[in-house]
């Protein structure tokens, strides 16, 4: 089946930029999402990008998509301790009505 | 506006019992999908409903079922519970379903523990 891969852990210092990477295998993916999950909570939608876009910026968040390499990244500028959480990459294909998630990247921010 | 509401938040059941979980989507959203989250398997898709019709189903046994009502509220049912069904069950709501140009918003989840 289709697959989404992420590294499991990332540690950064407060104030630095964080870059979380994701690769996917489904060439028919139309939308790619980034979700944040804090302990004991559900998933919070951070941003999403349509497959015909290369980049999307939203305040401290920048999403880059390399469709040829099936690589997605999320950059968080000026990372704060409140950004510590698990970040999930997800993709969906047109008409599939389901999200395929990566295993999540646990971001730890060191004060 | 109110977000996605899942009830109950926590549930403890015994093996062999059945359980029903509820999800109320954001007002105006007609698509509801369900996901199971476990430490080992991560987030896995269960099923998706739109206007009371199931449009897609994940790879789960027939013990897992769901339905959607005319007001878009959805329930999922798990019969003959097994220890491995212990998980966080998440519901997502969107206007038209993921894979369309709409965002999917998740509820806080129902934590099911099977003992």
């Amino acid at each position: 089946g289709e697959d989404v891969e992420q590294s499991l852990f990332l540690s950064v210092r407060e104030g630095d930029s964080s870059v979380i990477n994701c690769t996917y295998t489904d060439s028919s993916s139309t939308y790619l999402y980034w979700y944040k999950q804090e302990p004991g909570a559900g998933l919070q939608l951070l941003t999403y990008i349509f497959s015909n876009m290369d980049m999307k910026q939203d305040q401290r968040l920048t999403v880059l998509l390399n469709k040829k390499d099936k690589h997605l990244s999320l950059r968080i500028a000026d990372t704060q301790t409140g950004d510590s959480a698990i970040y999930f990459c997800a993709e969906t294909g047109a008409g599939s009505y389901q999200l395929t998630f990566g295993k999540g990247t646990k971001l730890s921010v060191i004060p | 506006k109110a977000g996605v509401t899942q009830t109950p938040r926590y549930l403890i059941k015994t093996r062999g019992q059945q359980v029903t979980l509820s999800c109320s989507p954001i007002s105006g959203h007609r698509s509801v999908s369900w996901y199971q989250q476990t430490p080992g398997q991560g987030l896995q898709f269960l099923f998706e409903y739109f206007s009371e019709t199931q449009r897609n189903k994940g790879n789960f046994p027939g013990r897992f079922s769901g339905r959607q009502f005319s007001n878009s509220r959805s329930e999922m049912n798990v019969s003959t519970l097994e220890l491995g069904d212990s998980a966080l069950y998440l519901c997502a709501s969107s206007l038209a379903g993921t894979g369309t140009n709409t965002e999917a918003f998740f509820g806080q989840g129902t934590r099911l523990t099977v003992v």
Side-chain angles (χ1 to χ4, degrees):
Chain A
E2 306 305 341
D3 205 10
V4 178
E5 299 280 344
Q6 299 178 243
S7 52
L8 294 181
F9 302 99
L10 177 66
S11 183
V12 299
R13 293 206 172 273
E14 190 174 18
D16 287 351
S17 291
S18 309
V19 179
I20 303 171
N21 294 300
C22 167
T23 56
Y24 59 98
T25 58
D26 186 0
S27 56
S28 67
S29 293
T30 52
Y31 294 93
L32 297 118
Y33 301 78
W34 285 103
Y35 284 90
K36 174 183 179 183
Q37 187 175 40
E38 295 178 272
L43 297 173
Q44 176 193 351
L45 176 65
L46 291 176
T47 186
Y48 71 99
I49 188 168
F50 186 50
S51 59
N52 69 354
M53 298 169 65
D54 298 323
M55 186 182 88
K56 182 177 181 182
Q57 189 152 3
D58 185 0
Q59 299 183 331
R60 292 191 298 126
L61 305 178
T62 303
V63 177
L64 294 177
L65 174 60
N66 181 327
K67 195 173 179 182
K68 174 176 166 290
D69 294 338
K70 299 190 184 70
H71 182 268
L72 183 74
S73 68
L74 173 70
R75 178 177 179 269
I76 306 172
D78 186 27
T79 311
Q80 301 297 306
T81 54
D83 294 324
S84 293
I86 299 176
Y87 290 79
F88 291 92
C89 167
E91 64 86 21
T92 188
S96 76
Y97 309 120
Q98 74 175 77
L99 293 166
T100 300
F101 286 88
K103 293 278 196 241
T105 299
K106 184 173 183 179
L107 174 65
S108 299
V109 182
I110 305 163
Chain B
K1 61 183 177 183
V4 181
T5 304
Q6 291 189 247
T7 56
R9 288 292 311 277
Y10 303 93
L11 210 47
I12 300 175
K13 289 286 188 179
T14 305
R15 266 184 307 175
Q17 286 187 313
Q18 74 162 13
V19 67
T20 299
L21 312 182
S22 179
C23 172
S24 293
I26 292 170
S27 178
H29 284 193
R30 295 167 67 187
S31 167
V32 173
S33 48
W34 290 88
Y35 292 81
Q36 181 196 65
Q37 186 177 25
T38 59
Q41 299 298 315
L43 283 149
Q44 294 189 288
F45 171 74
L46 281 155
F47 24 67
E48 190 263 2
Y49 288 89
F50 181 84
S51 292
E52 302 178 68
T53 299
Q54 186 183 87
R55 293 193 297 191
N56 198 0
K57 188 178 191 304
N59 189 23
F60 277 82
R63 300 185 297 108
F64 291 81
S65 63
R67 58 179 176 167
Q68 186 180 36
F69 301 95
S70 58
N71 62 357
S72 293
R73 190 177 70 86
S74 177
E75 288 181 347
M76 68 162 281
N77 184 276
V78 189
S79 62
T80 320
L81 283 165
E82 300 176 0
L83 294 178
D85 297 332
S86 294
L88 180 67
Y89 289 88
L90 292 162
C91 160
S93 124
S94 67
L95 278 169
T98 56
T100 63
N101 189 18
T102 60
E103 299 161 303
F105 298 92
F106 281 80
Q108 295 293 299
T110 294
R111 172 76 62 186
L112 172 65
T113 303
V114 182
V115 298

